[in-house]
Amino acid sequence: MERTEIRKLYEDPSRYTVSEQTVCGWVRTIRLSKTFGFIELNDGSCLQNLQIVFDDQLPNFMEVSKLNVGSSLVVKGNLVLTPQAKQPFEIKATSVTVEGTSTPEYPLQKKRHSFEFLRTIAHLRPRTNTFSAVFRVRSLLAYAIHKFFQENGFVYVHTPIITSSDCEGAGEMFRVTTLDLDNLPRNNDGAVDFSEDFFGKSTYLTVSGQLSVETYCMAFSKVYTFGPTFRAENSNTVRHAAEFWMVEPEIAFADLKDDMELAEAMLKYVINYVMENAPKEMEFFNNFIDNGLIERLTLVKDSQFEHVTYTDAIKILEKADQDFQYPVYWGCDLQTEHERYLTEKYFKKPVFVTDYPKDIKAFYMRLNDDGKTVAAMDLLVPGVGEIIGGSQREERYDYLERRIKELGMKMEDYWWYLELRKYGTVKHAGFGLGFERALMYITGMQNIRDVIPFPRTVNHAEF
Amino acid sequence: MERTEIRKLYEDPSRYTVSEQTVCGWVRTIRLSKTFGFIELNDGSCLQNLQIVFDDQLPNFMEVSKLNVGSSLVVKGNLVLTPQAKQPFEIKATSVTVEGTSTPEYPLQKKRHSFEFLRTIAHLRPRTNTFSAVFRVRSLLAYAIHKFFQENGFVYVHTPIITSSDCEGAGEMFRVTTLDLDNLPRNNDGAVDFSEDFFGKSTYLTVSGQLSVETYCMAFSKVYTFGPTFRAENSNTVRHAAEFWMVEPEIAFADLKDDMELAEAMLKYVINYVMENAPKEMEFFNNFIDNGLIERLTLVKDSQFEHVTYTDAIKILEKADQDFQYPVYWGCDLQTEHERYLTEKYFKKPVFVTDYPKDIKAFYMRLNDDGKTVAAMDLLVPGVGEIIGGSQREERYDYLERRIKELGMKMEDYWWYLELRKYGTVKHAGFGLGFERALMYITGMQNIRDVIPFPRTVNHAEF
């Protein structure tokens, strides 16, 4: 069907005054006088509605007058500029065709709904202003990430979702199986016989693509993954989902400093892209979700990020004139309260904390010359705390071997990962950005369930 | 580290002759004379190697002379144009730093390796020419798909990977669970108690995002998914993987004709993008993988696709002067041999086959007025057969309800899908493109295992 998207009308209304237009969409509101009426029509191409004016010249004026909110229409008519009115233009309808009716039971009547309620109708909530904005920005943010990496010569790698290895030796993982649970095959000793499973062994959903993507980094120098990852953590918080998307770049011939430069450049690029390409949505978030949002993002975009070592950060926290719930000492894991103090109160801007104690970080991080810290970095941002975590990787075979053994992990599970250190190993580094965390940060939304189309959390896999 | 990517040198070599350059990469070959030598260095930024010339002026000439293939280097030197030589330029090394050595056991010595062997070293195969080309094109193709949809106003939707519904009522699915298989919770009747599972019920890996994305189509008008999908099919063929990526656009206020126009425009756009952005890789595939490749893709890119109804296609096949393995009759499913006859022998170009019998298609496809066919389309292309499958969706509540009941499916499993037909239903359509199928088509690669970084198939989930 030849139709004009409402977004196009807003981009350049005067272009569309010369001929009759066909617009389509869903009725957001309808107001009626005796012989005419107004419809706010939304087609999802932008946040704004289009005002339709219709009158009793329409042969189906009665039908249109009785429409319920949520009905879908095809409207033909002429665009009239209305510089004196609230909206810059309207369409004077010459015909209104009802594609699909709605009913008074339509859950999205014109009133405020709680986010909790809207989660129960996740199939309809993108028809509200808030979720229309959130998911349009989600799409733009995903694209901005690809654009940044592609324009900088990175190769996008689809690392496997189903895996037989546990990347960090830590995560709680979901099992993937085709075994009939009512009739499990068993070994002689009575244990479940996973050699009968689809892949001939136990398999799980990935918790990170990092180890896999390192192999490709050793071929392409600059790579990134962007895909779903999974944690079977039983944590019912506003920041945890069982299924979420992660961005993981990896760069060769690079150290921690290069890694931080990349993280800073990427974050600034994507914030800038969203602010430029979704100004109305950002304005909406700033007005209705989080009043300081645009100011905070502008600060991040325009500031030089700070750098502090973990050791110095601990000193700062020890001297802080603030009581923390969790005690501060060298060797402790930084909690959100600590992170937020550093980035919001002390530095008042984004800050990289570097060189953490090796015992609170993953096995693959590069040991520093002091023998007790690793070349890790976390980026903390005001309003959120940690948004990016990364490290230089241990590229030295003997150091990596020692660490794997120290932690009681099995060398044979990592044969291919170790081989990267045998054949042309290079200094390399990378980081992980939780996509939903970034999206919450950029939109000001407070609950991860409200930035994922159909969120999966403990006891929730609806739709 | 300040380094120049080899890709940049090839883009504009003369720009880099003025000052000393730092290049990094892995040794592909090394040739030695008495007092000098040549190294072919590859950094993965492009398919081409860079020739490094080094001589005994280097303090570590002996070390460099003895390097094994696969070693990683940081080379400083001056770029010299060599218009008379095979390669357009070379770097005359002033220093060569060995980042990581290799050994004579490095599996990628300079000789031809079978694709079967290379699958066993999937962590190293991107360091070969073929796989370097395949996975660079994979990255570009993924980006081209995003670029096409984003530039055309589509919203990218991450539909859930973990699902409690079976989209097509047909696929063999992987179960996702956190239950302890050695100690399964049971109901009173002895059945496994899935209310104890992580999501409080049985969950699976998605086989398609279509039903989910339709909900977003009813809000944004134009949407697409691009994510991993899973089939637990026990089929050991060159075209099947258990884990693969799928692209699924969905458009509102649109019928089957609009859907085909979109599919044609998208396919042409992405072929064009890859040919323009990876000319060396395409030349490589054309020379070493599939001699007719570029000719075939150019034909597709520049042709107007044909259209034929299923009913007419059956007539054509019945009259064909060719014996088919599978019998042809109205109501039969088209096999690859039939599809290839139509697109390669009869039409000699891409062809949409439309309006299939309803009984061989999915429940959600829109019933045509004849009462026996549905508004479905498959796009067949020379060399492959079906590459895209799509349909107009049944937007009429009563028709959809009848079909769901006819097929013995449960209405309550589709409550949210049915609600889309109750509140402002609209004509809409969409299609699915198997990303790996498209990649095989564009590269000429014959086995799906060779276009996925770490392929998952029956009994295979290595790395």
Side-chain angles (χ1 to χ4, degrees):
Chain A
M1 186 194 298
E2 282 303 317
R3 54 180 282 224
T4 308
E5 291 169 26
I6 294 172
R7 174 173 56 93
K8 301 265 184 189
L9 300 181
Y10 275 96
E11 276 167 16
D12 186 6
S14 57
R15 213 188 118 192
Y16 296 94
T17 53
V18 285
S19 61
E20 191 182 69
Q21 299 298 317
T22 303
V23 293
C24 303
W26 290 268
V27 175
R28 282 287 180 88
T29 65
I30 180 163
R31 284 177 297 139
L32 218 61
S33 276
K34 221 171 177 143
T35 58
F36 62 96
F38 300 95
I39 288 170
E40 292 284 323
L41 197 73
N42 190 289
D43 71 357
S45 67
C46 60
L47 194 57
Q48 298 104 300
N49 298 326
L50 169 65
Q51 174 152 300
I52 308 286
V53 192
F54 64 99
D55 63 26
D56 59 5
Q57 300 291 299
L58 293 181
N60 61 342
F61 177 71
M62 283 304 290
E63 181 195 23
V64 175
S65 304
K66 289 178 182 158
L67 282 174
N68 284 298
V69 173
S71 305
S72 47
L73 307 180
V74 178
V75 178
K76 288 182 195 296
N78 297 300
L79 188 145
V80 183
L81 299 174
T82 53
Q84 262 78 53
K86 207 179 67 182
Q87 73 289 344
F89 53 85
E90 60 191 23
I91 292 269
K92 185 144 176 29
T94 49
S95 90
V96 175
T97 309
V98 180
E99 274 262 313
T101 56
S102 181
T103 72
E105 287 73 46
Y106 183 57
L108 296 174
Q109 300 299 325
K110 194 179 165 59
K111 60 161 191 161
R112 258 195 181 272
H113 299 283
S114 72
F115 288 166
E116 289 74 15
F117 168 70
L118 291 173
R119 274 173 225 144
T120 68
I121 51 167
H123 60 310
L124 300 176
R125 68 179 176 168
R127 304 182 188 192
T128 65
N129 281 335
T130 302
F131 291 94
S132 175
V134 165
F135 291 108
R136 203 172 301 100
V137 168
R138 184 174 172 116
S139 172
L140 288 171
L141 180 61
Y143 186 56
I145 288 164
H146 282 299
K147 205 166 150 68
F148 172 80
F149 286 116
Q150 296 273 340
E151 287 174 358
N152 285 289
F154 284 68
V155 172
Y156 178 30
V157 181
H158 289 122
T159 49
I161 310 299
I162 298 173
T163 177
S164 56
S165 72
D166 175 351
C167 170
E168 314 222 351
E172 299 197 61
M173 299 174 88
F174 288 101
R175 177 181 294 282
V176 174
T177 182
T178 54
L179 293 178
D180 176 1
L181 300 201
D182 282 323
N183 196 7
L184 288 167
R186 302 210 174 254
N187 291 322
N188 290 337
D189 62 0
V192 176
D193 180 7
F194 288 106
S195 74
E196 295 284 311
D197 209 346
F198 189 89
F199 296 107
K201 57 180 153 184
S202 278
T203 49
Y204 305 92
L205 291 179
T206 185
V207 295
S208 161
Q210 182 203 313
L211 302 197
S212 302
V213 92
E214 277 187 53
T215 67
Y216 270 59
C217 183
M218 297 295 107
F220 293 109
S221 291
K222 304 202 291 190
V223 295
Y224 70 108
T225 70
F226 186 5
T229 47
F230 305 85
R231 297 279 161 90
E233 268 179 281
N234 201 332
S235 45
N236 213 343
T237 82
V238 297
R239 287 165 60 81
H240 288 87
E243 174 180 324
F244 55 98
W245 285 62
M246 193 121 90
V247 182
E248 294 175 291
E250 191 78 25
I251 44 179
F253 304 101
D255 59 17
L256 194 66
K257 185 166 160 290
D258 299 308
D259 201 34
M260 290 189 285
E261 281 172 10
L262 179 66
E264 182 168 343
M266 183 205 69
L267 195 61
K268 287 177 173 175
Y269 179 94
V270 300
I271 289 173
N272 208 48
Y273 185 86
V274 169
M275 289 177 82
E276 277 185 4
N277 287 276
K280 288 287 173 193
E281 285 79 358
M282 294 310 291
E283 195 185 304
F284 177 89
F285 294 131
N286 198 63
N287 289 340
F288 298 107
I289 304 292
D290 178 350
N291 284 150
L293 183 69
I294 288 182
E295 188 186 328
R296 202 166 62 236
L297 293 177
T298 305
L299 174 75
V300 169
K301 193 163 71 72
D302 298 338
S303 67
Q304 191 80 28
F305 294 7
E306 285 289 340
H307 297 77
V308 66
T309 64
Y310 169 91
T311 301
D312 287 344
I314 292 293
K315 287 179 193 153
I316 292 168
L317 291 166
E318 283 171 342
K319 286 188 208 137
D321 53 350
Q322 181 173 324
D323 286 333
F324 295 115
Q325 199 193 332
Y326 293 89
V328 173
Y329 56 93
W330 198 96
C332 77
D333 221 345
L334 295 187
Q335 302 296 325
T336 303
E337 57 176 344
H338 308 139
E339 294 174 344
R340 294 188 66 163
Y341 175 84
L342 290 168
T343 184
E344 290 168 18
K345 303 248 171 83
Y346 192 86
F347 291 106
K348 296 190 171 65
K349 54 157 74 174
V351 56
F352 286 104
V353 180
T354 64
D355 305 298
Y356 284 78
K358 68 173 179 172
D359 292 330
I360 58 170
K361 288 290 181 184
F363 78 95
Y364 50 73
M365 298 189 179
R366 191 179 198 274
L367 191 66
N368 286 327
D369 292 343
D370 62 16
K372 56 181 190 174
T373 61
V374 288
M377 62 92 163
D378 282 355
L379 174 61
L380 316 180
V381 290
V384 168
E386 188 208 322
I387 193 168
I388 281 174
S391 70
Q392 188 172 338
R393 320 308 188 183
E394 185 55 82
E395 88 283 10
R396 298 163 295 187
Y397 188 95
D398 49 340
Y399 281 75
L400 187 60
E401 180 180 31
R402 193 189 316 150
R403 193 69 184 135
I404 287 177
K405 288 181 174 166
E406 260 174 27
L407 293 170
M409 294 155 62
K410 290 189 207 137
M411 289 287 283
E412 60 269 30
D413 290 348
Y414 298 90
W415 69 271
W416 51 272
Y417 191 68
L418 285 156
E419 278 201 355
L420 301 180
R421 279 72 182 166
K422 245 158 79 177
Y423 304 129
T425 193
V426 304
K427 285 190 190 65
H428 63 293
F431 64 81
L433 170 75
F435 180 67
E436 282 80 7
R437 293 268 174 97
L439 184 57
M440 288 165 74
Y441 180 60
I442 288 174
T443 58
M445 297 295 286
Q446 292 296 311
N447 194 316
I448 198 167
R449 292 165 185 79
D450 295 329
V451 299
I452 299 178
F454 299 98
R456 271 71 180 103
T457 57
V458 187
N459 282 321
H460 288 289
E462 291 86 8
F463 304 99
Chain B
M1 185 193 297
E2 281 303 317
R3 55 181 281 227
T4 308
E5 291 169 27
I6 294 174
R7 174 173 55 92
K8 301 263 184 192
L9 300 181
Y10 275 96
E11 278 168 13
D12 185 6
S14 57
R15 214 187 117 190
Y16 296 93
T17 53
V18 286
S19 60
E20 190 183 70
Q21 299 298 318
T22 302
V23 293
C24 304
W26 291 267
V27 174
R28 282 286 179 88
T29 66
I30 178 161
R31 283 175 298 140
L32 218 61
S33 277
K34 223 172 174 139
T35 57
F36 62 96
F38 300 97
I39 288 171
E40 293 282 325
L41 196 73
N42 190 289
D43 70 356
S45 68
C46 59
L47 195 55
Q48 297 104 300
N49 298 327
L50 170 64
Q51 175 152 298
I52 308 287
V53 192
F54 64 99
D55 63 25
D56 59 6
Q57 301 290 300
L58 293 182
N60 61 342
F61 177 71
M62 285 302 291
E63 181 194 23
V64 175
S65 303
K66 289 180 183 158
L67 283 174
N68 285 298
V69 174
S71 304
S72 47
L73 307 179
V74 178
V75 178
K76 288 182 197 294
N78 298 301
L79 187 145
V80 183
L81 298 175
T82 53
Q84 262 79 51
K86 210 179 67 185
Q87 73 289 345
F89 54 84
E90 60 191 24
I91 293 269
K92 190 149 170 26
T94 50
S95 91
V96 175
T97 309
V98 180
E99 275 263 314
T101 56
S102 182
T103 73
E105 286 74 46
Y106 182 57
L108 295 174
Q109 300 299 326
K110 193 180 166 62
K111 61 162 193 161
R112 258 195 181 270
H113 299 284
S114 72
F115 289 166
E116 287 74 17
F117 168 71
L118 291 172
R119 273 173 227 145
T120 68
I121 50 167
H123 60 310
L124 301 176
R125 68 177 177 169
R127 303 181 188 193
T128 65
N129 282 336
T130 301
F131 291 95
S132 173
V134 165
F135 291 110
R136 203 171 302 100
V137 168
R138 185 175 171 115
S139 172
L140 288 172
L141 180 61
Y143 186 56
I145 287 164
H146 282 299
K147 207 165 149 67
F148 172 80
F149 286 117
Q150 295 273 341
E151 288 175 356
N152 285 286
F154 284 68
V155 171
Y156 179 30
V157 181
H158 288 122
T159 50
I161 310 299
I162 298 173
T163 176
S164 55
S165 73
D166 174 351
C167 168
E168 314 224 351
E172 299 197 62
M173 301 174 88
F174 289 101
R175 177 182 294 281
V176 173
T177 182
T178 54
L179 293 178
D180 176 0
L181 300 202
D182 281 322
N183 196 7
L184 287 168
R186 303 211 176 253
N187 291 322
N188 289 338
D189 62 359
V192 175
D193 180 7
F194 288 106
S195 73
E196 296 283 310
D197 208 345
F198 189 89
F199 296 107
K201 57 180 153 185
S202 278
T203 49
Y204 306 92
L205 291 178
T206 185
V207 296
S208 160
Q210 182 202 315
L211 302 197
S212 302
V213 93
E214 278 187 54
T215 66
Y216 271 59
C217 183
M218 297 295 107
F220 292 110
S221 291
K222 304 203 291 192
V223 295
Y224 70 109
T225 70
F226 185 6
T229 48
F230 305 84
R231 298 279 161 89
E233 269 179 279
N234 202 332
S235 45
N236 214 342
T237 83
V238 297
R239 286 164 60 83
H240 288 88
E243 175 180 323
F244 55 97
W245 283 62
M246 191 121 88
V247 182
E248 295 175 288
E250 191 78 26
I251 43 178
F253 304 100
D255 59 18
L256 193 66
K257 186 167 161 289
D258 299 309
D259 201 33
M260 291 190 283
E261 281 172 10
L262 178 67
E264 181 169 343
M266 182 205 69
L267 195 61
K268 288 177 173 176
Y269 179 94
V270 300
I271 290 174
N272 207 50
Y273 185 86
V274 169
M275 290 177 81
E276 277 185 4
N277 286 278
K280 288 286 173 196
E281 286 79 358
M282 294 309 292
E283 196 185 304
F284 176 88
F285 294 131
N286 198 61
N287 290 340
F288 298 108
I289 303 292
D290 179 349
N291 284 151
L293 184 69
I294 288 181
E295 189 188 328
R296 203 166 60 236
L297 292 177
T298 306
L299 174 74
V300 169
K301 195 164 68 72
D302 298 338
S303 67
Q304 190 80 28
F305 294 6
E306 284 289 339
H307 296 78
V308 65
T309 64
Y310 169 89
T311 301
D312 287 345
I314 292 295
K315 287 181 193 153
I316 292 167
L317 291 166
E318 282 172 341
K319 285 189 206 134
D321 54 348
Q322 182 172 323
D323 286 333
F324 295 115
Q325 199 192 330
Y326 293 88
V328 172
Y329 55 93
W330 198 97
C332 77
D333 222 343
L334 294 187
Q335 303 295 326
T336 302
E337 57 175 344
H338 308 138
E339 294 174 343
R340 295 188 65 163
Y341 176 84
L342 290 168
T343 185
E344 289 168 19
K345 303 251 170 83
Y346 192 87
F347 291 106
K348 296 188 170 65
K349 54 157 72 172
V351 54
F352 286 106
V353 181
T354 63
D355 305 298
Y356 285 77
K358 68 173 180 174
D359 292 331
I360 58 171
K361 288 290 180 183
F363 78 95
Y364 50 71
M365 298 190 179
R366 190 178 198 274
L367 191 66
N368 286 327
D369 292 343
D370 63 16
K372 56 184 190 173
T373 62
V374 288
M377 63 91 163
D378 281 355
L379 174 61
L380 316 181
V381 291
V384 169
E386 189 207 321
I387 193 168
I388 282 173
S391 70
Q392 189 172 337
R393 319 308 188 185
E394 185 56 81
E395 88 282 10
R396 296 163 297 187
Y397 189 94
D398 48 342
Y399 281 76
L400 187 61
E401 179 180 31
R402 195 188 314 150
R403 192 70 183 134
I404 286 177
K405 288 183 173 165
E406 259 175 28
L407 294 170
M409 295 155 62
K410 288 190 210 138
M411 289 287 283
E412 60 268 32
D413 288 348
Y414 298 90
W415 69 271
W416 49 273
Y417 190 68
L418 284 157
E419 277 199 356
L420 300 180
R421 279 73 181 167
K422 246 159 78 178
Y423 303 129
T425 193
V426 303
K427 286 189 191 64
H428 64 292
F431 64 82
L433 170 76
F435 180 67
E436 282 80 7
R437 294 269 173 95
L439 184 57
M440 290 166 74
Y441 179 59
I442 286 175
T443 58
M445 297 294 286
Q446 292 295 312
N447 194 317
I448 197 165
R449 291 166 186 77
D450 296 329
V451 299
I452 299 177
F454 300 98
R456 270 71 179 105
T457 56
V458 186
N459 283 320
H460 288 288
E462 290 85 8
F463 303 99

